[in-house]
Amino acid sequence: MASNFAPVPNTGSQIERAVIAYLKVAFGADAALYQFNFSNDWAKRVAPLIDVLAHKSVETVPHTRNESYQVRIEAKWKGNSEAGAPNPDSNWVSINAFIGVIMAAMSSYSASSPVYEYVAQQITAAGRALAVDASAGADPAQVLTAANNADMAAFTCEYVEYKGAQRAEISDGSLFIKEVRNFEIRAANANVD
């Protein structure tokens, strides 16, 4: 396809990928225990998982493409497969820790930065890192990941605010149970920091 215009990066997609990258850092070695999905990921969902969806935006300053998105972070785990049957995966300590790590990461701060600024800086760094091939061409998987995320080199998360929760929402009949955390995330598809 030959276009007369260079494509404008999709800020919603950038936010989703950057938040997932940040949450993987927050979970550390435990990130391998969970499946992480962005909204347009066609992978079959397998619990426990985290879905990130930037689903509605407004342009914060007209004609700048700086957007403030409503972002849903959904933590899902297995529910009962049959009504009335016991659920061996209903360990409330681990379930609450699962959503608790997400909230801790999205609420962190430093002595010199308020929450909205510190978390935004961490999301920016995690997002931009997706565009970097740390193997310098030696690892084909890293080369492909960096190429698929090349647009992340021009990304800045500017603001993060918690907007409340939806608790114990049932998803897909009785197969998954989920906790939803809602945020407002403002970002730009350029480096403006």
Side-chain angles (χ1 to χ4, degrees):
M1 180 172 103
S3 174
N4 291 328
F5 294 94
V8 173
N10 180 342
T11 306
S13 171
Q14 289 178 309
I15 289 170
E16 290 173 356
R17 289 176 284 147
V19 167
I20 288 170
Y22 173 57
L23 290 176
K24 285 180 177 179
V25 170
F27 275 99
D30 285 349
L33 302 173
Y34 309 117
Q35 181 186 45
F36 292 83
N37 304 291
F38 53 91
S39 65
N40 291 324
D41 190 340
W42 56 86
K44 181 179 179 184
R45 282 13 185 199
V46 178
L49 63 92
I50 296 169
D51 276 335
V52 178
L53 169 64
H55 59 96
K56 185 176 181 183
S57 77
V58 295
E59 193 173 40
T60 53
V61 179
H63 313 294
T64 63
R65 301 307 179 258
N66 288 12
E67 295 181 80
S68 187
Y69 267 89
Q70 293 176 23
V71 177
R72 286 173 57 107
I73 300 176
E74 301 178 351
K76 299 181 184 179
W77 63 93
K78 293 178 183 177
N80 290 342
S81 56
E82 295 181 29
N87 181 357
D89 298 313
S90 63
N91 175 328
W92 291 108
V93 171
S94 64
I95 288 169
N96 289 330
F98 181 36
I99 192 66
V101 169
I102 293 169
M103 285 306 297
M106 297 300 288
S107 304
S108 59
Y109 61 93
S110 72
S112 61
S113 300
V115 170
Y116 74 88
E117 185 177 278
Y118 181 78
V119 174
Q121 292 167 350
Q122 301 308 305
I123 290 172
T124 297
R128 288 181 185 170
L130 293 171
V132 177
D133 169 17
S135 76
D139 179 0
Q142 287 189 43
V143 171
L144 181 61
T145 297
N148 283 339
N149 291 287
D151 64 320
M152 295 304 293
F155 169 76
T156 307
C157 181
E158 300 173 316
Y159 181 83
V160 177
E161 183 180 342
Y162 178 55
K163 292 292 190 176
Q166 292 166 257
R167 295 215 50 249
E169 186 175 311
I170 295 176
S171 175
D172 193 20
S174 60
L175 299 180
F176 292 131
I177 298 173
K178 65 182 173 180
E179 290 274 342
V180 179
R181 298 301 181 262
N182 298 294
F183 296 87
E184 177 184 342
I185 298 181
R186 186 170 60 233
N189 56 22
N191 294 344
V192 295
D193 49 347

